[in-house]
Amino acid sequence: MDYAFETIIKVRDYETDSQGIVNNANYLHYLEITRHEFCEAAGTSFAVMQREGLDPVVRKIEIEYLSSLRPGDSMRSCLRLRRRGARFVFEQDIFNAATGSPVVTATVTVVCLEGGRLGRGDLLAKAFEKYL
Amino acid sequence: MDYAFETIIKVRDYETDSQGIVNNANYLHYLEITRHEFCEAAGTSFAVMQREGLDPVVRKIEIEYLSSLRPGDSMRSCLRLRRRGARFVFEQDIFNAATGSPVVTATVTVVCLEGGRLGRGDLLAKAFEKYL
Amino acid sequence: MDYAFETIIKVRDYETDSQGIVNNANYLHYLEITRHEFCEAAGTSFAVMQREGLDPVVRKIEIEYLSSLRPGDSMRSCLRLRRRGARFVFEQDIFNAATGSPVVTATVTVVCLEGGRLGRGDLLAKAFEKYL
Amino acid sequence: MDYAFETIIKVRDYETDSQGIVNNANYLHYLEITRHEFCEAAGTSFAVMQREGLDPVVRKIEIEYLSSLRPGDSMRSCLRLRRRGARFVFEQDIFNAATGSPVVTATVTVVCLEGGRLGRGDLLAKAFEKYL
């Protein structure tokens, strides 16, 4: 399957918990880092959007944990983007960079507030047009 | 609706991000804290389970973000537990403690490793029998 | 020794790292939580200060790690406040709540920006006058 | 001044707090990441040390905050290492990668537990001999 963007992220030792594996909440950080880097690759940034009155907010996340990452591991974090009206759906997969094993698969739904109200998403769609 | 357990958690200022609201990943922390406190209320703990060779791991999380929490806010975090064979399903809701508004609603699926392999869940079910 | 304020904080399981003990960075969170709760006890809050144009920023931290906290532990986190001109010095100690053992001892120096510039600290001193 | 090691780290948006700047505790994470990457560059790793019964623990941190980092910023994080008997002292400086401005300067003292007891540090010294 084709992805619109991918990046490599290395596990930080403090991200593991007492089970010796990366704590489940940190994967939301990895997913967010990937979306924000994708924004930058697309020529915009979270900070720029906020200055323009656009406020993308996460509405829903579905995440499946398929295998664990440990200290020393690196991951390949990939995403694909679809628009559904005012909703932007990120399909995000993380793989163990060394073995290629799937680690998590997630669907992240983002809506865009414009001036504090739910926007139609046209401004965001314009920013990402070549990826949609 | 009835919950098996609930607890109050206060937002920590460092949990907010540059948008001035609690970052989405921190809600997985709140949900985990609630499950772990529930375990303690049920007379066990994560540390105890690990010593007994039980290793509950999160398999899937579905979370919807309904409203935001900000510095100074407190939340009422509630859960209900169902067993589905080897899977334990936590239905978790977080409400703004002051206003009662729903903040997130989540379904967290946990399986139990016993000695490193997927267990049938009978030991965990025994620990939680009065809540199932 | 007398403290101006103290609070109980419970370790969250995700705050430990692969060594099974609370990661060193989390103690700065505990110290910050304690200062912010102290502000609230003193009748103000971080959010209120910011709205009034006061921006307290940490300038320096010296922290000694004396013993470790683990999952399940609670701590008693205590502070004392001194003013040194424009600088506010928090002497903060954390003890294991169960055993009384010292866990960390820290000195945190805070200065106050007023409208973006280093202030003389008189407004902050007024807020804390009964503790100085 | 000469450093034994340096690395580039990019601020992650979720590391900022409600003041819009990176929260003070995250700098301890940056310092730790830098020490752990230094270990890897020196041919060892935290995980490897632990397997060999070596358990380096942070005893003391002195950190001065000189300027702030914000979303979008990258830092150059540098360290130098000295041994003082059983203590290993890391002098760590972080600079804004774009402007070169000093961001934090820190001294981190680490001791080495060997089999749970304070060790003389000879094993750790051997691992780092070319940097001391």
Side-chain angles (χ1 to χ4, degrees):
Chain A
M1 282 193 293
D2 272 359
Y3 294 103
F5 180 75
E6 62 180 74
T7 187
I8 297 290
I9 304 171
K10 195 175 174 205
V11 171
R12 296 174 170 185
D13 286 6
Y14 68 82
E15 293 169 336
T16 58
D17 60 20
S18 59
Q19 293 179 289
I21 56 178
V22 170
N23 182 269
N24 62 73
N26 285 309
Y27 291 97
L28 297 206
H29 286 320
Y30 301 148
L31 298 175
E32 180 178 292
I33 292 164
T34 308
R35 292 194 305 277
H36 289 202
E37 288 196 7
F38 167 66
C39 289
E40 292 183 15
T44 182
S45 84
F46 221 70
V48 166
M49 287 185 210
Q50 285 179 281
R51 251 176 272 134
E52 291 174 350
L54 278 184
D55 210 8
V57 293
V58 172
R59 200 50 109 205
K60 188 176 178 180
I61 297 178
E62 291 175 75
I63 179 167
E64 279 185 76
Y65 298 90
L66 306 169
S67 63
S68 299
L69 290 174
R70 292 168 187 281
D73 287 341
S74 287
M75 73 201 80
R76 190 165 66 91
S77 181
C78 308
L79 68 75
R80 207 181 292 115
L81 176 59
R82 284 179 298 121
R83 183 180 180 186
R84 279 199 194 149
R87 294 174 171 252
F88 292 81
V89 179
F90 291 88
E91 289 170 0
Q92 301 195 241
D93 295 303
I94 293 177
F95 303 93
N96 186 312
T99 66
S101 303
V103 173
V104 307
T105 182
T107 305
V108 179
T109 306
V110 169
V111 296
C112 202
L113 303 183
E114 295 174 14
R117 302 179 52 183
L118 188 63
R120 284 174 43 205
D122 293 340
L123 284 170
L124 204 61
K126 199 159 184 322
F128 295 124
E129 62 189 339
K130 70 176 173 181
Y131 301 98
L132 285 165
Chain B
M1 283 193 293
D2 273 358
Y3 294 105
F5 179 76
E6 61 180 73
T7 188
I8 298 290
I9 303 172
K10 195 176 173 202
V11 171
R12 295 174 171 186
D13 286 7
Y14 68 81
E15 293 169 336
T16 58
D17 59 19
S18 59
Q19 292 178 291
I21 57 178
V22 170
N23 181 270
N24 63 73
N26 285 308
Y27 291 96
L28 297 207
H29 285 321
Y30 301 148
L31 298 175
E32 179 178 292
I33 292 164
T34 308
R35 291 194 306 276
H36 289 202
E37 288 196 7
F38 167 66
C39 288
E40 292 183 15
T44 183
S45 83
F46 221 70
V48 165
M49 286 186 212
Q50 285 179 281
R51 252 176 272 134
E52 291 174 350
L54 278 184
D55 210 9
V57 293
V58 172
R59 201 50 108 203
K60 188 176 179 182
I61 297 178
E62 290 175 75
I63 179 168
E64 280 186 75
Y65 298 89
L66 306 169
S67 64
S68 299
L69 290 174
R70 291 168 186 282
D73 287 341
S74 287
M75 73 201 78
R76 190 164 66 89
S77 180
C78 308
L79 68 76
R80 208 181 292 115
L81 175 59
R82 284 179 296 122
R83 182 182 180 184
R84 279 198 194 151
R87 296 177 169 249
F88 292 81
V89 179
F90 291 88
E91 290 170 358
Q92 301 195 240
D93 295 303
I94 294 177
F95 303 92
N96 186 310
T99 66
S101 303
V103 173
V104 307
T105 182
T107 304
V108 179
T109 305
V110 169
V111 296
C112 201
L113 303 184
E114 295 175 15
R117 302 179 52 183
L118 188 64
R120 284 175 43 207
D122 293 341
L123 284 170
L124 204 62
K126 199 159 183 323
F128 295 125
E129 63 188 338
K130 68 176 174 183
Y131 301 98
L132 285 165
Chain C
M1 282 193 293
D2 273 358
Y3 294 104
F5 179 77
E6 61 180 75
T7 188
I8 298 290
I9 303 171
K10 196 176 173 203
V11 171
R12 295 173 170 186
D13 286 6
Y14 69 81
E15 293 169 336
T16 59
D17 59 20
S18 60
Q19 293 179 289
I21 56 178
V22 170
N23 181 269
N24 63 73
N26 285 308
Y27 291 96
L28 297 206
H29 286 320
Y30 300 148
L31 297 176
E32 180 178 291
I33 292 164
T34 309
R35 292 194 306 277
H36 289 201
E37 288 196 8
F38 167 67
C39 288
E40 291 183 14
T44 182
S45 83
F46 221 70
V48 166
M49 286 186 213
Q50 285 180 280
R51 251 175 273 133
E52 291 174 351
L54 277 184
D55 210 8
V57 292
V58 171
R59 200 50 109 202
K60 189 176 178 181
I61 297 178
E62 290 175 75
I63 179 169
E64 281 185 74
Y65 297 90
L66 306 169
S67 63
S68 299
L69 290 174
R70 291 168 187 281
D73 287 341
S74 287
M75 73 201 80
R76 190 165 66 88
S77 180
C78 308
L79 69 75
R80 209 181 291 117
L81 176 59
R82 284 179 297 123
R83 183 182 179 184
R84 279 197 195 152
R87 294 173 171 253
F88 293 80
V89 179
F90 290 88
E91 290 170 359
Q92 301 195 240
D93 295 303
I94 293 177
F95 303 93
N96 185 312
T99 66
S101 303
V103 172
V104 307
T105 182
T107 305
V108 179
T109 305
V110 170
V111 296
C112 202
L113 303 184
E114 295 174 14
R117 301 180 52 182
L118 188 64
R120 283 174 44 205
D122 293 341
L123 283 170
L124 203 61
K126 201 160 182 322
F128 294 124
E129 62 188 338
K130 70 177 173 181
Y131 301 98
L132 285 165
Chain D
M1 283 194 293
D2 272 358
Y3 294 104
F5 179 76
E6 62 180 75
T7 188
I8 297 290
I9 304 171
K10 195 175 174 205
V11 171
R12 296 174 170 185
D13 286 6
Y14 69 81
E15 293 169 336
T16 59
D17 60 20
S18 59
Q19 293 179 290
I21 56 178
V22 170
N23 182 269
N24 63 73
N26 285 308
Y27 291 97
L28 297 206
H29 285 319
Y30 300 148
L31 298 176
E32 181 178 290
I33 292 164
T34 309
R35 291 193 306 276
H36 289 202
E37 288 196 6
F38 167 66
C39 289
E40 291 183 15
T44 183
S45 83
F46 221 68
V48 166
M49 286 185 212
Q50 285 180 280
R51 252 175 271 135
E52 291 174 351
L54 278 184
D55 210 8
V57 291
V58 172
R59 202 49 111 202
K60 189 177 178 182
I61 297 178
E62 291 175 75
I63 179 168
E64 281 186 75
Y65 298 90
L66 305 169
S67 63
S68 300
L69 290 174
R70 292 167 186 282
D73 287 341
S74 287
M75 72 201 80
R76 189 164 65 89
S77 180
C78 309
L79 68 75
R80 206 181 293 117
L81 176 59
R82 283 179 298 121
R83 183 181 179 184
R84 280 198 194 150
R87 295 174 171 251
F88 292 81
V89 180
F90 290 88
E91 290 170 358
Q92 302 194 240
D93 295 302
I94 294 176
F95 303 93
N96 185 311
T99 65
S101 304
V103 172
V104 307
T105 182
T107 304
V108 179
T109 304
V110 169
V111 296
C112 202
L113 302 184
E114 296 174 12
R117 302 180 52 184
L118 188 63
R120 284 176 42 207
D122 293 341
L123 283 170
L124 204 62
K126 199 160 183 323
F128 295 124
E129 61 189 340
K130 69 176 174 182
Y131 301 98
L132 285 165

